[in-house]
Amino acid sequence: MTKIEIPPDHPRRVSLETREAIIDGHEKDIVATAGLLAHGRGEAFDYLIGESTPSFAEEAMRAAVAAMLSAKHPVISVNGNICSLVPHELVELSQITGAPLEINLFYYRKEREDAILKALRDAGADEVLGTHDRPSDTIPELSSNRRKVDPDGIGAADVVLVPLEDGDRTEALKKVGKFVITIDLNPMSRTAVHADVTVVDNVVRAMPRMVQLAREMQSLPVKDLERIRRDFDNRANRRSALTHMIAHLEEQVRLAMQIGESS
Ligand code: PTJ
């Protein structure tokens, strides 16, 4: 197993540890090889938001949690990346919101399904949907592996959390009438554009925060949760994400000019 010693005071410790979790997940068959590339793309966008959770992401998380808590049948879709990065938070969020976990893979291999199932069980999950021994339905709009859905999970869901999702699937879920929540560092991805709630943040920060929010908000009356969900404007929120990235880059330009002047 790849394991490097990361000094506690290393300035990029969190980022390197997250990378190690993805590499470890790949070695255990949890993460697809393409998942390594997807992670690298995420890292680049994380730089652009300043590697911390901005206020617009916090607002989107509140709307996401409100939608899950007020849903009739919420479901959390699990792929290799999210499972390797935040297995415990997946289980906790599932338990608090009553949203079952459904394994749904783009690069399906039976070994991967088994490895993800084991990781979720080790993290405390009881029931996991979407496994090969369960019945399956299809989303007609999709041709990829992800068109398979569990009839008791995404098939019956009104609200689906699809962290780190590919664009085709999000569009297809929208076409069949689902309310889609995503966590995606790229505010320009097709998933980010088409989702109803897009949390532009790193899943390693967003998922623990969403668990915390779910704990705090679970006792709110349904009408308050529905209002939070209704008042959220995803288009405006994505615009804030893009504006934030531009401002961050402008600040970097300013700093680079200062370094230029003093050298
Ligand atoms: O496990 P599988 O087989 O279902 O495959 C999963 C991947 C992620 C490989 C698959 O869904 C895929 O190819 O996804 P994409 O199209 O590369 O999209 C992934 C999106 O997630 C991109 O927009 C990335 O910027 C974003 N992303 C990557 N890492 C993170 C992230 N967003 C939030 N947090 C991250 N840590």
Side-chain angles (χ1 to χ4, degrees), residues 56 76 83 108 137 144 151 159 167 183 186 257-258:
F56 56 80
I76 303 174
C83 177
Y108 181 83
D137 273 352
S144 76
V159 172
I183 308 168
N186 177 4
M257 302 262 282
Q258 276 176 3

Side-chain angles (χ1 to χ4, degrees), residues 42-246:
E43 279 185 347
F45 279 102
D46 208 9
Y47 251 93
L48 295 181
I49 63 165
E51 294 179 304
S52 62
T53 301
S55 57
F56 56 80
E58 171 79 14
E59 198 199 324
M61 283 187 243
R62 278 181 65 77
V65 169
M68 291 181 80
L69 287 171
S70 59
K72 283 197 182 63
H73 188 36
V75 172
I76 303 174
S77 180
V78 179
N79 66 19
N81 286 51
I82 191 80
C83 177
S84 83
L85 292 178
V86 283
H88 293 95
E89 287 80 0
L90 282 171
V91 174
E92 279 181 274
L93 191 64
S94 161
Q95 286 167 350
I96 304 168
T97 59
L101 299 169
E102 174 168 341
I103 300 176
N104 204 285
L105 303 180
F106 190 75
Y107 301 97
Y108 181 83
R109 276 192 296 120
K110 170 78 170 50
E111 299 77 33
R112 292 194 58 217
E113 180 192 305
D114 291 345
I116 291 171
L117 182 61
K118 179 178 181 318
L120 292 175
R121 291 247 165 87
D122 289 350
D126 292 328
E127 198 194 9
V128 178
L129 305 178
T131 49
H132 73 283
D133 52 345
R134 291 199 38 93
S136 69
D137 273 352
T138 51
I139 304 178
E141 279 77 2
L142 263 179
S143 53
S144 76
N145 248 321
R146 276 190 168 152
R147 79 171 185 278
K148 282 198 188 156
V149 292
D150 193 309
D152 295 328
I154 295 172
D158 52 350
V159 172
V160 192
L161 170 62
V162 284
L164 279 136
E165 184 60 85
D166 78 297
D168 284 352
R169 184 122 190 287
T170 306
E171 281 190 60
L173 289 172
K174 283 301 303 163
K175 275 191 195 142
V176 294
K178 313 289 180 192
F179 185 92
V180 178
I181 301 165
T182 193
I183 308 168
D184 191 330
L185 276 159
N186 177 4
M188 292 167 281
S189 76
R190 275 188 306 144
T191 294
V193 172
H194 290 285
D196 296 282
V197 179
T198 304
V199 177
V200 181
D201 197 7
N202 197 322
V203 295
V204 301
R205 294 187 298 269
M207 284 292 291
R209 179 64 185 142
M210 283 170 69
V211 169
Q212 206 181 1
L213 283 171
R215 275 212 186 91
E216 287 165 22
M217 293 165 68
Q218 65 181 330
S219 52
L220 287 180
V222 172
K223 68 170 178 17
D224 290 0
L225 294 169
E226 284 172 348
R227 189 184 38 77
I228 295 170
R229 163 179 159 166
R230 222 181 17 250
D231 288 351
F232 179 75
D233 181 344
N234 205 43
R235 228 194 267 191
N237 198 276
R238 267 196 335 106
R239 206 164 43 232
S240 299
L242 289 163
T243 311
H244 177 86
M245 286 178 177
I246 292 166

